[in-house]
Amino acid sequence: MTSVRELLVILIGSSLVNNVVLSQFLGLCPFLGVSRKTKTAAGMGGAVIFVITLASAVAGVIYEFVLKPLQIEYLQTIVFILVIAALVQFVEMFLHKAMPALYEALGVYLPLITTNCAVLGVALTNVQKQYGILTGIVNGFATAVGFTVSIIILAGIREKIEHNDVPAPFRGMPIVLLTAGLMAIAFCGFSGLL
């Protein structure tokens, strides 16, 4: 049984210390593509939290109760990809019906969650670190929260950069990449927490 202390360490470690975007460099495509406005970034973060948390739960259950008993763990990557694709389709249909404005704002980046390597990376990390189902869910949730925090911070900075006089060679994506790099260095400061 996992203690509350261990779950708290996983929560802080996965969201801040080992941030999926700024430390592991997973999920960069939506991180850079959807971070123009904080509202859109928050919507993407919410969708990623939902998908990664649910994918961690479903992947954990499938791994524990299907793949392990049948001794077909080698199929984990294929199974996890199918689970993630199905979950993203569910989220896309839900947003299309319930929140059409957010669905339009996310545009092509919503289907990108399917190919977001952060989602698959969390499911595989849960198996690699031999996390149980609850621990895997906490790790998935914390990782998604870390993604959301970093994308919202970058979106806020990008909104401020729009009103500044940036030298011509740094306009556009160069200044965004420079900002993301500085954020990664800043997040290294959290390594002393654990």
Side-chain angles (χ1 to χ4, degrees), residues 2 19 23 57 61 81 100 109 116 130 155-156 162 165 170:
T2 307
N19 187 285
S23 167
V61 168
I81 289 171
Y109 295 102
N116 186 345
Q130 298 178 347
E162 283 181 14
D165 187 27
F170 289 103

Side-chain angles (χ1 to χ4, degrees), residues 5-59:
R5 184 176 185 275
E6 291 174 30
L7 292 177
L8 190 59
V9 167
I10 290 172
L11 194 66
I12 293 171
S14 294
S15 60
L16 297 175
V17 178
N18 297 319
N19 187 285
V20 70
V21 176
L22 301 174
S23 167
Q24 299 174 16
F25 307 112
L26 298 174
L28 288 175
C29 186
F31 176 70
L32 296 173
V34 186
S35 60
R36 292 182 194 272
K37 301 287 180 200
T38 52
K39 186 175 181 182
T40 309
M44 175 60 114
V48 167
I49 287 174
F50 179 76
V51 169
I52 289 182
T53 305
L54 197 57
S56 296
V58 173

Side-chain angles (χ1 to χ4, degrees), residues 51-193:
V51 169
I52 289 182
T53 305
L54 197 57
S56 296
V58 173
V61 168
I62 289 173
Y63 185 79
E64 284 294 322
F65 297 112
V66 178
L67 299 179
K68 274 175 89 173
L70 296 175
Q71 297 179 348
I72 53 173
E73 294 95 339
Y74 57 89
L75 292 176
Q76 68 189 10
T77 305
I78 294 169
V79 171
F80 293 166
I81 289 171
L82 293 174
V83 166
I84 292 164
L87 289 173
V88 170
Q89 287 301 314
F90 171 74
V91 169
E92 191 172 359
M93 289 187 304
F94 174 77
L95 287 179
H96 188 65
K97 286 283 187 190
M99 301 176 204
L102 180 59
Y103 176 80
E104 292 296 324
L106 291 175
V108 72
Y109 295 102
L110 189 57
L112 278 178
I113 297 175
T114 304
T115 59
N116 186 345
C117 54
V119 183
L120 181 60
V122 170
L124 294 174
T125 299
N126 290 343
V127 171
Q128 180 185 11
K129 292 187 176 182
Q130 298 178 347
Y131 287 158
I133 295 171
L134 175 63
T135 313
I137 292 170
V138 169
N139 182 48
F141 175 76
T143 301
V145 166
F147 176 88
T148 303
V149 166
S150 58
I151 197 172
I152 290 173
I153 290 172
L154 182 64
I157 294 171
R158 285 181 76 172
E159 285 180 356
K160 296 291 183 189
I161 288 174
E162 283 181 14
H163 304 294
N164 292 334
D165 187 27
V166 178
F170 289 103
R171 287 190 188 131
M173 195 51 68
I175 194 71
V176 174
L177 292 173
L178 185 62
T179 303
L182 292 172
M183 283 176 58
I185 292 169
F187 268 66
C188 285
F190 291 120
S191 63
L193 286 174

